[in-house]
Amino acid sequence: MSSDSHTDPPSAPALRIKAIQQLLTEKGLLPTGAVDTIVDAFEHRFGPRTGARIVARAWTNASYRKRLLADAPEAMGEFGHSEDPHIAMIERTPTIVLENTLKVHNVIVCTLCSCYPWHVLGLPPNWYKAAPYRSRVVIEPRAVLAEFGLHVPDDVEVRVWDSNNELRYFVLPLRPAGTEGWSEERLASIVTRDSMIGTALCKAA
Ligand code: FE
């Protein structure tokens, strides 16, 4: 029988989650529909395309870049904040934008668990949540980055930023050479999720 057959009972964790959700709703701790709204936002609203648009605007608009570095949640909100209070709360998570330069390369991690700027990058990749990345990137960042295929020159300082529940980080990657005169939309198309984590560079291709 296929595992997605509707005649199969839900898994034990799925039943447990449903029971907890129902209990929280009955106790008035979780408004009806709140979980569906949040799941829908993760499916349709949050994701690295939003982050890519933010980067492309920062590359092309000096005053936007300045606002982004000074107050990221406010500047990121220029792409729209949700009317829903639960989603807006996620979108207003305190976030700091780290600007890569020719002298400094930034990379983000959450050594404790998996804190991540969901609203602009979506859900984190599995390796971001895995113990080897979380423990090693703070000890030997250059070696870890090399395993991603990113060889940071010796004269570039690598800075590792440990995210937590109260503060998230987002990397503003370097704009690659050969992209002069590109539109914001075309620039956004070369901004990858990993470049906004700091484990990759953007390439004009
Ligand atoms: Fe975390």
Side-chain angles (χ1 to χ4, degrees):
M1 192 190 289
S2 86
S3 61
D4 58 357
S5 160
H6 290 282
T7 56
D8 281 346
S11 67
L15 285 172
R16 187 174 287 261
I17 288 166
K18 214 174 170 64
I20 292 169
Q21 192 179 326
Q22 194 172 337
L23 203 61
L24 289 172
T25 306
E26 279 171 15
K27 288 192 176 292
L29 296 170
L30 187 70
T32 312
V35 171
D36 288 340
T37 306
I38 291 168
V39 169
D40 182 73
F42 273 97
E43 283 178 343
H44 300 113
R45 183 178 178 91
F46 300 154
R49 295 336 303 161
T50 305
R53 289 171 66 206
I54 289 165
V55 169
R57 182 156 304 170
W59 282 347
T60 52
N61 181 327
S63 83
Y64 181 75
R65 185 170 131 269
K66 207 171 162 189
R67 290 202 297 285
L68 185 67
L69 294 170
D71 185 345
E74 193 60 32
M76 288 170 166
E78 292 178 30
F79 287 85
H81 272 312
S82 174
E83 304 274 307
D84 181 275
H86 304 95
I87 307 305
M89 198 171 75
I90 295 173
E91 290 174 341
R92 292 187 184 280
T93 304
T95 306
I96 288 179
V97 171
L98 310 162
E99 185 183 33
N100 282 349
T101 67
L102 295 171
K103 295 271 167 236
V104 176
H105 180 86
N106 297 287
V107 58
I108 64 170
V109 64
C110 171
T111 55
L112 194 63
C113 45
S114 58
C115 298
Y116 191 71
W118 298 327
H119 53 308
V120 283
L121 291 186
L123 291 172
N126 283 335
W127 54 258
Y128 185 88
K129 298 182 277 184
Y133 177 78
R134 287 164 32 215
S135 56
R136 286 184 58 224
V137 77
V138 288
I139 299 167
E140 42 174 1
R142 286 173 192 274
V144 171
L145 294 176
E147 286 165 28
F148 279 93
L150 174 54
H151 300 274
V152 181
D154 288 342
D155 62 344
V156 175
E157 183 192 342
V158 176
R159 290 185 191 158
V160 183
W161 300 79
D162 192 4
S163 320
N164 61 54
N165 194 34
E166 266 129 42
L167 186 59
R168 312 294 165 94
Y169 298 101
F170 173 93
V171 176
L172 174 58
L174 272 179
R175 178 174 175 168
T179 58
E180 296 75 19
W182 284 25
S183 68
E184 221 176 284
E185 199 185 343
R186 190 172 174 202
L187 286 166
S189 75
I190 60 162
V191 180
T192 61
R193 177 198 67 195
D194 288 4
S195 73
M196 296 178 278
I197 298 175
T199 53
L201 300 181
C202 294
K203 296 191 178 89

